[in-house]
Amino acid sequence: MLAAQRDSLRLLRAILVASVVLPIALFSYASWLSYRTNDANADRQIDKTRDVVTEHALKIFESVQRSIAETAEIVRDMSDDQIRAAEHALHDRLKRLVGGSEQIKSMWIFDKTGRPLVTTMQVPASHPDLSDRDYFKAHLGKDDGLYVGRVLEPRPPFDGAPFFSVSRRRDAPDGSFAGVIQASVLPDYFEGFYAKVGREDGSFVALVRDDGTILARMPEIDRTDLSVKPDGIVGQAISEGHNEGRMTTVSSLDGIERRVAFRKLPNLPVYVFAGLETRAIRSMWVAQIGAYLLVGLPATAALIAIVMLAMRRTQKLYEEADRRQAAENALKQAQRLESLGRLTGGVAHDFNNLLMVVGGSVQKLRRRHDDLQDIRSFDMIDSAVAKGTALTRQLLSFSRRHNVAAKAIDLGEALHKFADVLRQSVRSDIGLTIELPSGPVVVMIDPNEFEIALLNLTLNARDAMPEGGRITISIHTETLKNFGPRRLTGRYAILSFADTGVGIPDDIRERVFEPFFTTKPVDRGTGLGLSQIYGFVQQSSGAITVDSEVGRGTRFDLFLPLTSEAPARDESAPQMEVRGAETPKTLLLVEDHPDVAAVAADYAAQCGFTVVPANCAEAAIEVLNRRRDIDLVFSDIVMPGMSGLELARLIREHHPETPVILASGYSDRSASALSEGFPLLQKPYTLETMRTALTQAMQRAAIRPTA
């Protein structure tokens, strides 16, 4: 396919060269078309454009004046309080009034302090102080009639395109100043019309106030300085005081020489200008010479244009095909990973409940059997439960449903502390180079997940270098804009992990982050290492990319967003003594899974609690409303109907003296539970972890100050 693309482009280039070379001999003929004819045609064209834009401007200002006059008639003899009371009705009426006007952005009614009473921008209207705007200050003195303001930028909370104002004074019944009625007119509307009228190369059209302030212009200019200088085209026309005329001079704004015709709008402080660049006029004259000189030149030029267009379109077509193919591949990969994530998350959820039942049942059997052979069997089951727990942790990390305990850490410091572990994980024939940043690089991540990700990358790199090699880990920062399929934007830390191993073939590179996909033998890995890393960076609002070449190594780049928070410092948590309850306590157990509820009830009984079961949050609320002896609530998060987190919020609101502990195999609400201060146990939990959580909850409840 690449060869066919190159051949087609080479053929088009050959045709283009031939189209240029063959007619070169014809370019010696002289022209009889006079410069005066071309000059006169240019003047007629400029006058025609001026007449068109003058008529257009008059119609627009007449329409705006009508809208303002009708608005004034609507609110005539109405006080500010009456206007405020009728704000919704007035808003709807003004919306209908300007609804068919593309040139009017919005209509406003201001009180005498410069605050909006009614606006078509929003209802109810915000009330910022806009008394410093020119369209308001112009009417504070005497009534000067209609005022045309400068081009302004919207002020928060309002937004949108720049505008200039057409306004008039609003008088009270006694003739005093009551406020302003203002219409925001879009310069973009005029400029869009001017672009249609002045399609010729070098066309110039402008709408200017009589003080030299530009309201609209084509071609566009920087709106930060809209005041013309007196020595320019517009400045000269206005300073001479003529209502109509024509001149040729250099613009003070862009330094371009133009021939311009101007006219002042009747009864309005506004001029319209239309013109052509003298360069464009000369170009038209040269074009006319060519048209008369060369009979075959138009055909030749058309052929050249067609060939060049065909070349551009062909090249763009090939580029677009390549981009589309890359985008389709990225989309398919993202959809595949998302589907796998949902599947693995659901499997891990059910698996956690099963592990909970298995682990709890084994602990129960341990208390009843002391035979050595049975104890060994129980140990094997406990080991399998621990491995299953680790497996579900990796599955939940990939599916981005694992509860990540993120905190601000210095990426370089964390890598430096973990470097010894990484060096111990590789053979002596593999060199490990760590390039630390010169300053702090702080990101918001789970440090444990980060260490697991580094270890997985190191082990994969070790296995990819059976004959030795080198691993290089570096950290740097970069500002991204719409980077990658996730369109990352902002300041990011980039951790690059590169090895000199065998590399990843192109046909499997897109699948390396899929769970359980691996090229290793069955006994060498589960295929969850890279999927865990993928889930970790996704959960951390980042991304991971892979670049590999067979025989030359692989580089993974982890993109993690920078944070402005200070790095968290490791502090030794105060040790709390864990012991059984000294006096019998009552625990409300809320769990919809009957087997898990049985295990949790057994654990709680061993901790010295009297258990009151409830199979849903609604049943738990009935128990709490009926009984006053509930000392502690232990609830699952994911349940049909009301969730455990919603139940915990209700208990905190109506029974603040009753502590609540939440448990979950996985839940999107786990992060919310932790952020709201609820203790959280991850399933499958053990007797000891539950005992610790229950004891700590009771101790916190005992020392909580009473209101």
Side-chain angles (χ1 to χ4, degrees), residues 579-647:
R579 35 177 146 157
E582 297 178 357
T583 59
K585 299 291 184 180
T586 303
L587 179 143
L588 176 58
L589 176 64
V590 189
E591 173 62 64
D592 65 308
H593 195 293
D595 294 335
V596 176
V599 172
D602 180 60
Y603 284 172
Q606 293 184 61
C607 296
F609 285 85
T610 300
V611 179
V612 177
N615 61 358
C616 63
E618 291 77 7
I621 293 174
E622 293 181 4
V623 172
L624 288 169
N625 292 334
R626 188 175 67 251
R627 301 181 57 160
R628 294 293 181 267
D629 61 340
I630 301 300
D631 300 296
L632 181 65
V633 177
F634 187 92
S635 175
D636 189 16
I637 288 184
V638 180
M639 293 184 295
M642 182 185 296
S643 70
L645 179 57
E646 294 170 327
L647 172 63

Side-chain angles (χ1 to χ4, degrees), residues 315-524:
Q315 192 165 4
K316 288 182 179 179
L317 179 62
Y318 292 148
E319 293 173 354
E320 180 63 26
D322 293 340
R323 288 194 296 268
R324 186 182 296 111
Q325 184 65 35
E328 289 177 356
N329 292 338
L331 177 60
K332 290 178 181 177
Q333 176 71 356
Q335 290 174 337
R336 181 163 60 249
L337 292 177
E338 181 65 24
S339 299
L340 287 172
R342 293 183 181 180
L343 175 62
T344 54
V347 171
H349 168 243
D350 295 336
F351 200 35
N352 269 330
N353 281 333
L354 296 177
L355 291 173
M356 181 76 197
V357 175
V358 173
S361 300
V362 168
Q363 297 302 320
K364 197 170 187 178
L365 291 173
R366 279 185 185 275
R367 299 197 304 271
R368 300 179 181 177
H369 297 270
D370 55 3
D371 182 78
L372 181 60
Q373 187 64 34
D374 290 340
I375 293 176
R376 289 177 179 173
S377 298
F378 296 153
D379 289 342
M380 288 189 293
I381 296 175
D382 280 338
S383 176
V385 169
K387 292 179 181 178
T389 301
L391 179 63
T392 55
R393 176 187 176 91
Q394 290 178 302
L395 289 173
L396 290 174
S397 178
F398 169 75
S399 65
R400 303 189 296 282
R401 292 185 172 121
H402 176 63
N403 181 39
V404 176
K407 61 182 181 180
I409 68 168
D410 185 343
L411 206 58
E413 181 181 350
L415 178 59
H416 177 69
K417 290 180 179 179
F418 200 60
D420 290 339
V421 177
L422 299 180
R423 289 190 174 93
Q424 295 171 6
S425 303
V426 297
R427 302 184 305 274
S428 59
D429 59 348
I430 296 177
L432 180 62
T433 301
I434 297 179
E435 301 173 358
L436 297 176
S438 58
V441 178
V442 185
V443 294
M444 186 71 69
I445 60 174
D446 184 339
N448 294 326
E449 292 287 332
F450 174 64
E451 291 177 354
I452 294 173
L454 281 178
L455 188 58
N456 281 330
L457 287 172
T458 303
L459 296 178
N460 282 347
R462 180 198 64 187
D463 295 339
M465 296 183 291
E467 299 180 0
R470 175 164 294 280
I471 297 174
T472 302
I473 308 176
S474 63
I475 298 173
H476 67 282
T477 61
E478 189 174 333
T479 300
L480 306 178
K481 184 176 181 181
N482 295 328
F483 173 80
R486 298 194 69 194
R487 317 294 288 176
L488 302 182
T489 299
R491 291 282 294 167
Y492 278 78
I494 304 175
L495 184 143
S496 296
F497 189 102
D499 64 59
T500 58
V502 296
I504 304 174
D506 294 341
D507 57 341
I508 66 171
R509 190 178 304 161
E510 293 183 354
R511 301 189 59 195
V512 295
F513 297 116
E514 294 181 7
F516 304 112
F517 176 79
T518 180
T519 58
K520 299 177 183 179
V522 176
D523 58 343
R524 294 290 300 277

Side-chain angles (χ1 to χ4, degrees), residues 5 9 17 20 23 150 193 198 225 351 386 433 558 604 650 686 695:
Q5 292 180 8
L9 291 174
V17 171
V20 174
R150 301 171 63 91
F193 177 77
D225 184 10
F351 200 35
T433 301
L558 279 66
L650 286 176
T686 64
T695 304

